[in-house]
Amino acid sequence: MTNETSEISKNEFFNEIKFGLMNSEGFYLTSEKFGNQISVTGTSLRSKQVWGFEISKSSSMKGYLRSPHLKYLESDKNGVVICNSDTKCDSFLFEIELTDEGNWMFKDCNGKYLSGTSKGISFQIKEKAGLNAIWAIHIKNHPHCNIMSVARKRYVHVSDEEFRADEDLPWGKNYVISIEFCNGKYAFRDLNGRYLNGVTGYLDEKCSNDTFFVLYLSGLMYGFKCNNNKFLTVQGSKGKLIANKDNFGKDEQFLIEESKPQCIFTASNGKKLSVKQGVDVTANVFEEAGASEIFQIGFDANTENCVTIVTNLKTYLCTTDKSVIAKSDISMNSYFQMEWHDQHVMLRNFSGSYITSSSGGKLSLISENNKDENSLFTIQIVNRPILVLRCEYGYVGLSSSSTKVMCNRGAGTAVYVSNESGKYRFKFSDGKSWKMKDSDSMIFSDLEGDLFFCQLHSKNKMVILAPNGKYLRSDKNGNIYATEEEVRPSIYWEY
């Protein structure tokens, strides 16, 4: 088991980043599974448009392009694009050239450039390729993320109408940053919808030219250049983010990480888990939750539903023979299997014992008994007041011609979340909520919405339980149905 610490360690290849390649016409490089056919026809970033770029050990500006179907892109001497090899060789290596706008050009071993339009794709000499050889990089990361300053090793959050990088732990909703991709550029928003103005360093209610940035890369680190031709940097003792540097150095590099869920656990006695004493973990807090009652869940990369649970003191929940404590170091006793029972979860340690709570709030272990109601906990997610949901077919949003909630949108739509006794009501910005249509279990938007329940599964993914007791599933035609009775990867929703 490995503890996830950053996006670098989560990739199958430690030196690989994943992104979409959008040409000057606004279409994405696309790989079809059948025949490994390559085209530039995608209208948004979906699974067929996500490419891996394995950075060469010799240079961060060289690497290999790997298709969504794990095939390597190459060219022959005539400039024909081929993508059917399971292994790479030196002739597949591309050299990256950056334009002044931060876009990429891919030069092959023959000195020709990857050139694509909606009518075709090939490798051509630079003069002939022109604008068709220029690609905007659309990073795959979910729009909701944590951002860390590489130089300061501090996380970005909202404070006094600014984005600041001055905390060593991304704790709470103010550290969840929304990154929007629009016409080849990026914008940063807080969960209240305000945009970072690179020129002033303050948060604006509306987007403008000064709120858009172009992307630069240094290895696996990101840089952002504003409309004033300055790079976003971290300034002063408070770590204010502002675009005022001419060069792209370490102070201008950022790491983008998945934002892990932070939750409140409520025991069967109606009280919340807490680490107020710093060591012992108990279920004895009835009042409103503070930082000591919030726990971050990190999923193991290799084992389904295996988690570590971290406190705001950077300690891990850990079981002993008699109790549950918080320790600074991680061990086998710090790993738990999450077992879902509809609206409740049970935590089982590596030896098969379950955490249970007494009426007074003391936590202990009960051996191999998953029917004790005192081992049941409810979870409330506190750092996602707004969700952006994504499945294999695209983002969740409203149909343009009806009230159907669709799952094949090209861009994310904000879903506002309200918690009601452990269940959730999902609303769009127009005030309408999700509602299940009884006749075919399809999800619509209506003034009187239904309550749903979320179960956390795998890293950054959840399943959603509808009022009929069945799970929501996505359909390739874009509809969402509440018809699944078992949890399986096909019903996961990335959040």
Side-chain angles (χ1 to χ4, degrees), residues 32-52:
E32 301 291 347
K33 189 172 184 179
F34 179 75
N36 297 313
Q37 296 180 353
I38 307 300
S39 63
V40 190
T41 54
T43 56
S44 61
L45 184 61
R46 296 188 173 94
S47 58
K48 294 192 296 185
Q49 286 80 37
V50 176
W51 292 78

Side-chain angles (χ1 to χ4, degrees), residues 126-143:
K126 192 173 187 178
E127 292 74 18
K128 186 176 181 180
L131 293 176
N132 296 332
I134 295 175
W135 302 88
I137 303 301
H138 185 175
I139 56 177
K140 175 187 177 289
N141 298 67
H142 187 275

Side-chain angles (χ1 to χ4, degrees), residues 1 31 69 76 78 99 118 134 152 154 156 172 215 252 284 311 340 364 388 435 441 452 465 469 481 492:
M1 298 179 184
S31 172
H69 310 298
D76 68 8
N78 297 317
T99 70
S118 57
I134 295 175
R152 301 201 181 193
R154 294 293 185 269
V156 175
L215 176 73
E252 292 70 56
N284 61 1
T311 76
W340 287 97
S364 57
V388 176
K435 187 175 182 63
S441 299
F452 297 82
L465 193 64
Y481 297 97
Y492 286 168

Side-chain angles (χ1 to χ4, degrees), residues 30-97:
T30 301
S31 172
E32 301 291 347
K33 189 172 184 179
F34 179 75
N36 297 313
Q37 296 180 353
I38 307 300
S39 63
V40 190
T41 54
T43 56
S44 61
L45 184 61
R46 296 188 173 94
S47 58
K48 294 192 296 185
Q49 286 80 37
V50 176
W51 292 78
F53 184 70
E54 293 180 39
I55 299 172
S56 170
K57 294 180 180 180
S58 63
S59 170
S60 63
M61 299 305 292
K62 293 181 179 181
Y64 306 87
L65 275 173
R66 198 164 63 102
S67 81
H69 310 298
L70 309 183
K71 306 292 184 181
Y72 287 93
L73 191 76
E74 58 177 306
S75 65
D76 68 8
K77 61 182 180 180
N78 297 317
V80 176
V81 176
I82 305 169
C83 193
N84 57 18
S85 177
D86 294 319
T87 58
K88 61 179 180 284
C89 64
D90 291 344
S91 62
F92 298 0
L93 189 65
F94 292 100
E95 182 177 349
I96 305 303
E97 292 184 7

